[in-house]
């Protein structure tokens, strides 16, 4: 301030200013300019330092984490366990024009990648091209070894590989993919577009499968298959109240990680693709139809003294009692004669409608491409009605049977089977039989285990009910008496059904332990029992003492002899 | 006086300039750290995918069962062993009554002949299940 007034005074006195004053004034101008500049800098400094706090600056910055990009969505089981995932891998290619001595390089490469053919690699490396594929999808170790060779002409291309960490487990449900990651089987094929949808690759598909139950089922089926030298086996575990498939096994199976050289026999899904005449397990549906439509009551009975003759067939019993049998006895002792007579009372039309309502005459809607269509007679004769009543003359896939049994025991609602984890699936259910009939069927199934042919499925504590099924395999022009399809369908716990467990063995042979028997009650029922013993604790079904009163009334009608 | 003001101004300007520069560098450093962190998170997420697959592979029920048979003296529980009511769990015995805790590991080191015996027991169990 004082500098400014001094300057004014000096300029007013103007006339006598000396050369010194002029210099002084000019200097003052320069000083003022500097002051102004400093002032601006100070203000700017303060502004930068205080006006926008650092925290706010950072908060406003968008922190972008690069997303993990995969080409195909994962598949998980119902508990979130990884069943199929895409992992990064490398494919090896080379630029042959950079290689001077192809023979030597080829020999060194084949030494670390022994599955390549030396002559082929040599030929590729001696070509004039600039780019040749040498091997696709190397393991990390292989990649490291190739890098250790130190050949600059070898390059890697980032690729993705579909990995199934559980190997063979649930292979038929999962399916497999080709080298470019397109699904070729199982849910991989069925949901291919969804899995490859670029916008949704970070959303995995959750299946209804429980990998632990899947293993229990597969392990027991494998053991039974080798013990009975069967050519194949199939098994299903289904939640009766939601229609969800908890486990689905078909043997022989394959490793989806490496599908080269897998025979079509191994790829064949016996649980959904194979259609079989499943034998006596079908009696459950005949009984349900008769009880539900009031054609027979549990107090009725049929004469099973001697075999029935119809057209060119003779209907015999596998466990003949040769006497008048009550309905619970017919079911527990699996009498074909009694069931066939009951089917005649139902009639072809009502039987056909009932089976259609249960979906046995259509292909199942399960989320797999590998589903077999049922086989049944085009013209439904009297003899068809009788044989179909005990499961001959109609061939359905195991998953259809299990779905039907689930409807019989869950209070009468047919809920479509599903492989995906879906809490709302039960809403799609349709009432096919009454609650009351369902309760009677539950009693019959339980008594078939406690008193009838299914005794070897009794898993103590878990109140198993079930029905055996043994059928001769159909061959050209008749049946092969030597080749059986032995199955057992079990439900537990019978006082509040939760799960259906089905086991099927294809052409089992008798062993010393089964006294040469190879029927469903001998070979398949123990599988179901073991699967229940192993999986019930996993599925949260508590063992408890049985309420005998539930079955007492019906049990009295079964005469044991 | 004037000189004082000039010096003061110069010092202030220098100091504040240095402070601003330092602040800017610090912010830049932080931004770089954030970016590196984001990249690390990305890499970790990729690694987690691989580890999840590996975990699933290593804990597949088949290999768990094999390891359990090899190392543990445990058998699948039967229905009587499943206690559904919490009040039925007995208290742990104390004092003289309390026996030695048998543990869950196979006593392979202590008694080498124990192992084949256990394998046989397992075979028996398998035999039953067939």
């Amino acid at each position: 301030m004082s500098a400014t007034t001094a300057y004014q005074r000096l300029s007013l006195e103007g006339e006598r200013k000396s050369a010194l004053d002029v210099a002084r004034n000019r200097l003052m101008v320069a000083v003022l300019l500097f002051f102004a500049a400093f002032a601006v800098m100070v203000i700017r400094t303060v502004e930068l330092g205080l006006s926008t706090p650092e925290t706010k600056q950072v908060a406003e910055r968008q922190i972008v984490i690069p997303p993990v990009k995969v080409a195909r969505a994962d598949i998980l089981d119902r508990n979130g366990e990884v069943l199929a995932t895409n992992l990064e891998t490398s494919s090896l290619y080379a630029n042959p024009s950079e290689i001077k001595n192809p023979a030597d390089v080829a020999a060194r490469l084949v030494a670390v990648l022994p599955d390549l053919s030396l002559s082929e690699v040599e030929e590729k490396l001696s070509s004039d091209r600039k780019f040749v594929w040498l091997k696709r999808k190397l393991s990390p170790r292989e990649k490291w070894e190739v890098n250790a060779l130190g050949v600059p002409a070898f390059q890697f291309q980032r690729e993705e590989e579909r990995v199934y960490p559980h190997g063979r487990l649930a292979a038929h449900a999962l399916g497999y993919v080709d080298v470019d990651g397109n699904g070729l089987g199982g849910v991989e094929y069925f949901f291919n577009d969804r899995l490859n949808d670029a916008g949704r690759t970070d959303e995995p598909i959750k299946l209804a499968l429980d990998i632990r139950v899947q293993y229990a089922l597969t392990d027991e089926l494998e053991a039974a298959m080798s013990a009975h030298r069967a050519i194949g086996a199939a098994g299903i575990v289904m939640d009766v109240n939601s229609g969800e498939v908890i486990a689905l096994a078909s043997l022989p199976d394959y490793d989806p990680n490496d599908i080269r050289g897998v025979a079509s026999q191994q790829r064949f899904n016996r649980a959904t693709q194979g259609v079989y005449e499943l034998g006596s397990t079908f009696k459950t549906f005949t009984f349900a139809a008769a009880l539900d439509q009031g054609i027979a009551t549990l107090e009725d009975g049929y004469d099973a003294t001697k075999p029935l003759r119809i057209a060119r067939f003779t209907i015999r019993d596998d466990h003949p009692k040769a006497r008048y049998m009550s309905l619970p006895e017919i079911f527990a002792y699996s009498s074909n004669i009694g069931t066939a007579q009951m089917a005649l009372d139902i009639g072809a039309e009502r039987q056909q409608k009932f089976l259609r309502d249960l979906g046995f005459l259509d292909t199942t809607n399960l989320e797999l491409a590998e589903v077999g269509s049922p086989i049944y007679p085009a013209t439904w004769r009297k003899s068809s009605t009788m044989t179909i009543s005990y499961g001959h003359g109609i061939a359905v896939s195991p998953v259809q049977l299990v779905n039907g049994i689930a409807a019989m025991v869950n209070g009468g609602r047919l809920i479509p089977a599903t492989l995906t984890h879906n809490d709302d699936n039960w809403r799609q259910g349709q009432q096919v039989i009454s609650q009351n009939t369902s309760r009677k069927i539950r009693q019959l199934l339980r008594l078939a285990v406690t008193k009838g042919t299914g005794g070897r499925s009794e898993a103590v504590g878990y109140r198993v009910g079930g029905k055996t099924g043994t059928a001769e395999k159909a061959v050209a022009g008749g049946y092969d008496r030597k080749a059986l399809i032995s199955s057992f369908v079990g439900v537990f716990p019978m006082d509040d059904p939760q799960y259906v467990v089905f086991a099927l063995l294809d052409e089992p042979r008798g062993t010393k332990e089964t006294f040469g028997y190879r029927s469903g009650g001998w070979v398949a029922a123990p599988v179901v029992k073991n699967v229940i013993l192993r999986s019930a604790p996993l599925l949260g079904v508590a063992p408890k003492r049985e309420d005998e009163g539930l079955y007492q009334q019906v049990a009295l009608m079964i005469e044991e002899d | 006086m004037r000189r004082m003001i000039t010096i003061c101004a110069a010092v202030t300007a220098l100091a504040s300039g240095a402070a601003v520069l330092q602040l800017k560098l610090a912010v830049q450093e932080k931004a770089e750290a954030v970016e590196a962190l984001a990249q690390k998170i990305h890499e970790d997420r990729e690694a987690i995918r691989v580890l999840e697959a590996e975990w699933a592979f290593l804990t597949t029920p088949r290999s768990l069962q094999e390891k359990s048979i090899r190392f543990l003296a445990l058998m699948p529980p039967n229905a009587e062993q499943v206690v559904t009511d919490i009040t039925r769990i007995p208290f742990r015995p104390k004092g003289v009554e309390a026996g030695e805790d048998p543990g869950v590991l196979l006593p392979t080191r202590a008694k080498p002949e124990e192992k084949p015996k256990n394998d046989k027991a397992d075979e028996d169990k398998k035999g039953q299940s067939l």
Side-chain angles (χ1 to χ4, degrees), chain A residues 514-546:
Chain A
T514 67
F515 310 103
Y517 286 110
R518 57 213 167 98
S519 61
W522 282 95
V523 301
V527 174
V528 169
K529 170 185 142 184
N530 290 333
V531 171
I532 292 173
L533 283 176
R534 288 173 70 164
S535 57
L538 298 173
L539 293 168
V541 177
K544 72 174 186 201
R545 197 170 291 277
E546 188 163 25

Side-chain angles (χ1 to χ4, degrees), chain A residues 74-241:
Chain A
D74 290 356
I75 301 177
L76 308 180
D77 88 342
R78 64 187 302 115
N79 303 312
E81 181 83 19
V82 180
L83 299 183
T85 185
N86 261 30
L87 293 185
E88 201 178 303
T89 172
S90 305
S91 289
L92 176 67
Y93 66 91
N95 182 353
S97 64
E98 286 179 15
I99 294 174
K100 293 200 184 79
N101 45 351
D104 174 46
V105 173
R108 280 163 62 200
L109 182 68
V110 174
V112 293
L113 301 175
D115 50 335
L116 293 181
S117 118
L118 180 62
S119 57
E120 222 169 89
V121 173
E122 211 175 313
E123 194 192 313
K124 279 182 186 169
L125 294 184
S126 345
S127 68
D128 305 328
R129 285 181 292 163
K130 297 252 184 229
F131 182 96
V132 285
W133 278 120
L134 289 171
K135 191 183 177 197
R136 293 189 76 172
K137 302 192 174 165
L138 276 74
S139 70
R141 171 179 287 276
E142 287 174 329
K143 184 182 176 186
W144 190 87
E145 281 173 341
V146 171
N147 268 331
L149 292 177
V151 180
F154 288 158
Q155 304 276 340
F156 292 101
Q157 166 77 41
R158 183 191 182 276
E159 277 201 290
E160 281 183 19
E161 187 176 17
R162 196 73 166 158
V163 175
Y164 304 88
H166 293 284
R168 291 169 174 271
L169 267 190
H172 286 96
L174 289 172
Y176 50 93
V177 296
D178 65 5
V179 74
D180 296 315
N182 291 306
L184 292 182
V187 289
E188 291 271 30
Y189 175 78
F190 193 88
F191 291 114
N192 191 39
D193 293 340
R194 157 69 181 83
L195 287 163
N196 275 347
D197 184 350
R200 300 178 70 189
T201 51
D202 53 343
E203 295 170 40
I205 288 188
K206 211 166 198 188
L207 296 188
L209 297 178
D210 184 324
I211 200 71
R212 306 164 301 172
V213 179
Q214 174 77 29
Y215 175 65
L217 179 68
T218 311
D219 195 36
E220 292 299 337
L221 282 173
E222 265 171 10
M225 195 173 134
S226 66
H228 296 285
R229 286 170 293 154
I231 60 166
I236 294 173
V237 178
M238 184 187 277
D239 184 331
V240 300
N241 297 314

Side-chain angles (χ1 to χ4, degrees), chain B residues 74-109:
Chain B
L74 293 177
M75 284 283 154
N78 59 35
E80 285 100 67
Q81 288 171 286
V82 181
V83 178
T84 50
D85 184 5
I86 200 159
T87 56
R88 287 184 51 205
I89 301 176
F91 286 104
R92 186 187 287 266
K94 277 180 191 153
V96 199
E97 289 169 50
E100 204 184 321
D101 183 3
V104 293
L105 290 175
L106 272 183
T108 42
R109 292 259 166 81

Side-chain angles (χ1 to χ4, degrees), chain A residues 191-419:
Chain A
F191 291 114
N192 191 39
D193 293 340
R194 157 69 181 83
L195 287 163
N196 275 347
D197 184 350
R200 300 178 70 189
T201 51
D202 53 343
E203 295 170 40
I205 288 188
K206 211 166 198 188
L207 296 188
L209 297 178
D210 184 324
I211 200 71
R212 306 164 301 172
V213 179
Q214 174 77 29
Y215 175 65
L217 179 68
T218 311
D219 195 36
E220 292 299 337
L221 282 173
E222 265 171 10
M225 195 173 134
S226 66
H228 296 285
R229 286 170 293 154
I231 60 166
I236 294 173
V237 178
M238 184 187 277
D239 184 331
V240 300
N241 297 314
S242 71
E244 288 176 308
V245 177
I246 307 291
L248 184 141
S250 169
L251 296 173
D253 55 6
Y254 60 91
D255 185 353
N257 288 308
D258 185 11
I259 50 160
R260 284 171 302 172
V262 172
S264 62
Q265 166 79 2
Q266 284 162 274
R267 287 185 205 182
F268 185 75
N269 188 342
R270 287 164 197 273
T272 62
Q273 206 171 359
V275 290
Y276 305 96
E277 292 177 272
L278 290 166
S280 308
T281 42
F282 248 71
K283 284 178 186 152
T284 320
F285 306 114
T286 310
F287 273 71
L291 292 171
D292 198 55
Q293 295 169 19
I295 291 149
T297 66
L298 286 182
E299 285 76 36
D300 292 337
Y302 289 95
D303 180 32
T305 336
K306 43 182 188 290
L308 283 183
R309 275 173 209 288
I310 176 78
R312 60 193 171 86
F313 299 102
T314 310
I315 296 173
R316 288 192 187 82
D317 278 357
D318 291 332
H319 314 268
K321 297 279 173 196
R323 59 174 168 85
Y324 176 88
M325 292 165 96
S326 68
L327 242 58
E329 284 177 321
I330 293 173
F331 193 80
Y333 300 134
S334 200
S335 164
N336 294 341
I337 303 170
T339 314
Q341 290 176 75
M342 189 160 56
L344 285 181
D345 288 349
I346 296 169
E349 214 166 284
R350 280 191 285 189
Q351 183 189 35
Q352 211 170 348
K353 182 179 178 302
F354 189 73
L355 294 179
R356 192 177 295 283
D357 287 347
L358 284 175
F360 288 136
L361 307 186
D362 305 303
T363 313
T364 171
N365 287 325
L366 194 72
E367 297 93 337
L368 288 178
E370 299 93 352
V371 284
S373 298
I375 302 168
Y376 52 92
T379 49
W380 208 282
R381 292 174 214 282
K382 196 176 165 192
S383 58
S384 314
T385 301
M386 291 168 87
T387 58
I388 285 170
S389 75
Y390 57 87
H392 286 72
I394 185 166
V396 300
S397 60
V399 70
Q400 287 178 294
L401 176 94
V402 170
N403 207 13
I405 292 287
M408 294 299 103
V409 298
N410 71 358
R413 278 173 78 85
L414 181 75
I415 301 160
T418 178
L419 264 172

